[in-house]
Amino acid sequence: TKIWCFFRETGTVEQEAVKFTKIWCFLLFAMWIALSLAGAGAGISVTLGALTFSAFVSSAMLIAFGLSRSEMEERVMQLWMKLMEKYHEHLNIAKGLLVLTSAPVFIVYIGISFLNQSIRNIFLLCSKKGKMNNESLKIGVFEGLVTEAARRLIKEVKSWELIEVFTYAIYWGA
């Protein structure tokens, strides 16, 4: 009866997802061992990889179609908040990797945003004037020089612990 307790739904969504992943990994491992012993080891890794990918895609589709949009957004936000609470101190390591890998793209994006906003500021007939709805973006960071989306991005990056993030970026690059 202990094995059936493992399948009983008793926890939160995150616990159930972990339980599902453990069961899936166990079944994949058992299939891999059985097929390896049967002598079908030639294409087993590719086959099991494709099977795993298709199972996770179909599971995601079942979850997506089984919940309403508001329920899904609520659960994603709950999961995101729990992840942020749990791994907040390790987030700067990932931000350092992000800085290292996407700094050239970020610079090009800011340049294109500057060009876009410059064209809007010239008041050409073919351009549309952007509205500033967000009060926190009206004052401060690059107002009038870059687009609103770029100002949000710059404001977010400025809120990081930049010295620690750049230190991790240097560690990643070394």
Side-chain angles (χ1 to χ4, degrees):
T1 60
K2 287 270 187 192
I3 268 209
W4 297 114
C5 292
F6 188 71
F7 293 111
R8 192 176 334 146
E9 189 175 329
T10 57
T12 64
V13 175
E14 293 83 17
Q15 290 171 337
E16 294 300 319
V18 168
K19 199 182 293 185
F20 172 76
T21 304
K22 286 178 182 177
I23 292 171
W24 185 253
C25 288
F26 175 75
L27 291 175
L28 274 176
F29 183 66
M31 286 174 48
W32 180 69
I33 289 174
L35 291 172
S36 293
L37 291 175
I44 188 125
S45 298
V46 174
T47 304
L48 287 178
L51 179 65
T52 301
F53 179 71
S54 64
F56 283 121
V57 167
S58 63
S59 298
M61 288 176 62
L62 282 173
I63 290 171
F65 292 128
L67 299 173
S68 69
R69 184 168 177 87
S70 62
E71 288 175 331
M72 194 178 330
E73 287 176 358
E74 181 181 329
R75 287 192 180 183
V76 167
M77 283 305 294
Q78 287 175 353
L79 181 62
W80 180 253
M81 294 305 288
K82 284 182 182 178
L83 286 173
M84 289 298 290
E85 180 181 308
K86 195 172 188 179
Y87 298 109
H88 178 69
E89 63 270 1
H90 302 293
L91 201 56
N92 286 337
I93 298 170
K95 288 177 183 176
L97 182 62
L98 179 71
V99 165
L100 180 70
T101 57
S102 62
V105 175
F106 179 73
I107 292 169
V108 169
Y109 174 74
I110 295 298
I112 291 172
S113 174
F114 173 75
L115 183 64
N116 186 357
Q117 191 65 30
S118 297
I119 291 172
R120 286 182 184 170
N121 288 339
I122 296 173
F123 298 111
L124 292 176
L125 296 175
C126 61
S127 68
K128 60 180 181 180
K129 181 83 170 151
K131 293 183 267 180
M132 281 204 255
N133 297 330
N134 194 343
E135 288 294 325
S136 66
L137 290 174
K138 284 184 181 179
I139 302 169
V141 186
F142 295 101
E143 180 185 356
L145 294 177
V146 293
T147 60
E148 186 175 337
R151 283 194 307 271
R152 274 197 194 103
L153 183 62
I154 291 168
K155 189 175 181 182
E156 177 65 30
V157 170
K158 286 179 90 176
S159 72
W160 292 355
E161 300 167 13
L162 291 176
I163 294 173
E164 188 176 351
V165 170
F166 289 152
T167 302
Y168 283 120
I170 290 170
Y171 289 158
W172 278 109

